[in-house]
Amino acid sequence: MRTYGLDWLDRAAMAGSATCMVHCLALPLLLAAVPTVSAFIVIPESFHRWVLLFAAPMAVIALVGGRARHAASWPLFLGAAGLGLMTIGAFALREGGVEIAVTVTGGILVALAHVTNLRLRHSCGGPDPIPGIPR
């Protein structure tokens, strides 16, 4: 039996993680390859913080809702570790290779947590336990 209420949160969070990875990995390569583009495209460091502050609540709601349904804690812990790494990358590290590595690793962990959460919720059957969110 499939559930749809929290699926959009997991899928949106996975898409956000993928977009973050593309941003972190591809954009610096593009800007390095085309120096004139870097003169026009300036992404402030606060961008990473705002995206994280937007994405984190969505990830937490989806992972906690999944935990309430399938009772497996490890996707929640995996997602928390990923969000922790992303927070360190956004708030504690200077721009550069280490910040990119920490942020991308965090994004991968969050994406894996959501994929696992989605699969576990679909495999356990029954209604979503959160009132007001349709099946």
Side-chain angles (χ1 to χ4, degrees):
M1 189 179 300
R2 294 186 59 138
T3 62
Y4 301 99
L6 293 174
D7 284 1
W8 72 272
L9 283 173
D10 276 318
R11 289 188 175 126
M14 286 185 278
S17 293
T19 303
C20 177
M21 283 184 270
V22 168
H23 164 76
C24 289
L25 296 173
L27 189 61
L29 294 175
L30 174 67
L31 294 178
V34 186
T36 55
V37 173
S38 65
F40 299 107
I41 299 176
V42 178
I43 299 174
E45 182 57 32
S46 63
F47 172 79
H48 298 111
R49 294 176 181 152
W50 285 109
V51 170
L52 178 64
L53 292 173
F54 172 75
M58 184 171 33
V60 169
I61 291 168
L63 293 171
V64 169
R67 162 85 179 60
R69 181 170 160 82
H70 54 64
S73 295
W74 70 271
L76 181 60
F77 294 136
L78 186 65
L83 288 172
L85 288 174
M86 292 172 70
T87 301
I88 290 168
F91 290 96
L93 299 175
R94 293 183 183 193
E95 285 188 53
V98 174
E99 180 257 340
I100 290 170
V102 169
T103 302
V104 169
T105 301
I108 290 170
L109 292 179
V110 171
L112 289 173
H114 285 294
V115 168
T116 304
N117 193 50
L118 188 66
R119 289 183 178 173
L120 286 171
R121 270 200 344 267
H122 283 228
S123 68
C124 68
D128 282 333
I130 299 175
I133 297 181
R135 274 180 48 82

